């Protein structure tokens, strides 16, 4: 619904002025993911489709964008107390507390467990570090996933043709 209404594209257009390199483009995507943290699927759909063209124009492989958007969407939703996952987690914790006869508040118990969620917290640290250092881990470090030449926008291509510089 947000995508159809143009909200995601408006946010992407707002951030485009700050996107001058692959690093700043991925940073802008991370920032947008941080704004849409309430649901992992919404974050992936809104940010991924809204930023796909702008990121491709900067020469960033689509696989790197997918990793960033999916990881940020899932990780932020899993550690946030106001996300779609929080209700599920609180329900599970409440059922377990009831099963063992504890009278603790399920919400507080779920929130206090965030510091023990090592994978999401490490992923939250690794992604910005990867963007800042422009280094990839695992399969994304292979040559086929290296940054590509930025694509020219149709306007820039037309300007170059008019100046006799070709399409490059």
């Amino acid at each position: 619904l947000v995508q159809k209404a143009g909200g995601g594209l408006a946010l992407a257009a707002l951030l485009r002025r700050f996107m001058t390199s692959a690093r700043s483009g991925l940073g802008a995507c991370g920032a947008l993911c941080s704004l849409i943290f309430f649901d992992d699927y919404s974050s992936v759909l809104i940010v991924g489709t809204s930023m796909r063209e702008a990121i491709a124009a900067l020469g960033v492989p689509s696989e790197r964008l997918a990793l960033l958007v999916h990881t940020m969407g899932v990780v932020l939703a899993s550690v946030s107390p106001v996300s779609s996952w929080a209700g599920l987690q609180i329900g599970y914790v409440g059922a377990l507390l009831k099963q063992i006869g504890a009278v603790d508040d399920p919400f507080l118990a779920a929130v206090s467990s965030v510091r023990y969620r090592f994978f999401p917290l490490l992923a939250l640290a690794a992604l910005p570090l990867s963007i800042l250092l422009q280094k990839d881990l695992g399969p994304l470090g292979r040559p086929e996933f290296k940054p590509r030449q930025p694509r020219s926008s149709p306007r820039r291509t037309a300007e170059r043709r008019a100046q006799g510089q070709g399409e490059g």
Side-chain angles (χ1 to χ4, degrees):
L1 183 62
V2 173
Q3 190 65 28
K4 288 288 186 187
L9 294 174
L11 287 171
L14 183 70
L15 290 174
R16 271 192 189 173
R17 70 178 93 155
F18 303 108
M19 296 169 50
T20 57
S21 66
R23 182 185 294 171
S24 63
L26 289 170
C29 283
L32 190 54
C33 285
S34 298
L35 290 174
I36 308 173
F37 64 89
F38 54 86
D39 183 60
D40 56 336
Y41 295 117
S42 297
S43 179
V44 168
L45 290 172
I46 293 169
V47 178
T49 56
S50 300
M51 300 297 271
R52 181 177 44 219
E53 289 182 23
I55 291 296
L58 295 171
V60 176
S62 58
E63 296 85 3
R64 187 148 191 219
L65 173 65
L67 173 74
L68 174 72
V69 170
H70 283 82
T71 304
M72 288 290 287
V74 171
V75 165
L76 290 174
S78 74
V79 297
S80 172
V82 290
S83 69
S84 59
W85 281 99
L88 179 69
Q89 292 170 1
I90 292 166
Y92 286 154
V93 170
L96 287 171
L97 290 175
K98 186 177 179 181
Q99 190 177 25
I100 63 171
V103 292
D104 293 340
D105 181 15
F107 176 77
L108 293 177
V111 169
S112 67
S113 73
V114 168
R115 64 180 173 221
Y116 300 110
R117 298 180 193 175
F118 299 115
F119 176 76
L121 297 176
L122 286 173
L124 273 178
L127 281 175
L129 197 59
S130 171
I131 292 169
L132 186 66
L133 298 175
Q134 294 182 328
K135 298 285 183 192
D136 288 313
L137 301 171
L140 283 179
R142 286 192 240 148
E144 64 263 26
F145 296 117
K146 291 295 177 196
R148 301 176 181 109
Q149 288 295 331
R151 286 191 328 209
S152 292
S153 69
R155 189 176 87 208
R156 279 195 238 153
T157 302
E159 289 171 357
R160 286 190 187 121
R161 283 184 186 159
Q163 294 175 354
Q165 295 178 354
E167 290 204 29

